[in-house]
Amino acid sequence: MGSIGIVVRADRDAETLGNDWVPPPLGPRQVVEDLVTEVMEVAVGLRLTANVESVAESPDPRAITFSGVWGDEERVVLRQICSRLEARFYDAEECGFIEL
């Protein structure tokens, strides 16, 4: 069974963000897309897929949605992306940010 998670920049816990909260951009679109491509190429064989927020939603992406299983190897990939984008990982099943 897979899970869904989102990489965003947030400086507070999920429950304190409020209904009208909008995450700031993760960075310039090309930088974010290049990072995801670079990291996911190495992640071949892992149970993980990524989707960068579309241009129609925001010129510079505010979120990257992941689906998959958060095993040890997948967590390494997610941690690397979060670290390089100075972002956090929100786990939909946990209903909050988790440590990778």
Side-chain angles (χ1 to χ4, degrees):
M1 184 170 140
S3 298
I4 295 176
I6 306 168
V7 171
V8 294
R9 285 190 175 156
D11 58 0
R12 298 182 306 226
D13 289 333
E15 53 275 352
T16 65
L17 292 174
N19 294 333
D20 60 346
W21 177 77
V22 176
L26 293 166
R29 177 163 298 281
Q30 194 62 53
V31 170
V32 174
E33 289 177 347
D34 287 350
L35 172 62
V36 170
T37 299
E38 171 191 328
V39 172
M40 293 304 288
E41 283 177 352
V42 175
V44 171
L46 298 184
R47 297 171 295 172
L48 193 62
T49 59
N51 183 36
V52 176
E53 183 180 36
S54 73
V55 163
E57 295 292 323
S58 176
D60 290 325
R62 299 167 294 190
I64 307 166
T65 304
F66 285 89
S67 59
V69 177
W70 318 144
D72 291 340
E73 293 177 29
E74 289 83 5
R75 285 176 180 261
V76 168
V77 169
L78 295 169
R79 186 179 317 120
Q80 182 179 14
I81 289 173
C82 286
S83 176
R84 290 179 61 184
L85 294 174
E86 298 177 0
R88 298 172 73 190
F89 188 74
Y90 179 87
D91 185 319
E93 287 183 13
E94 296 289 328
C95 297
F97 294 105
I98 63 169
E99 292 296 322
L100 298 167

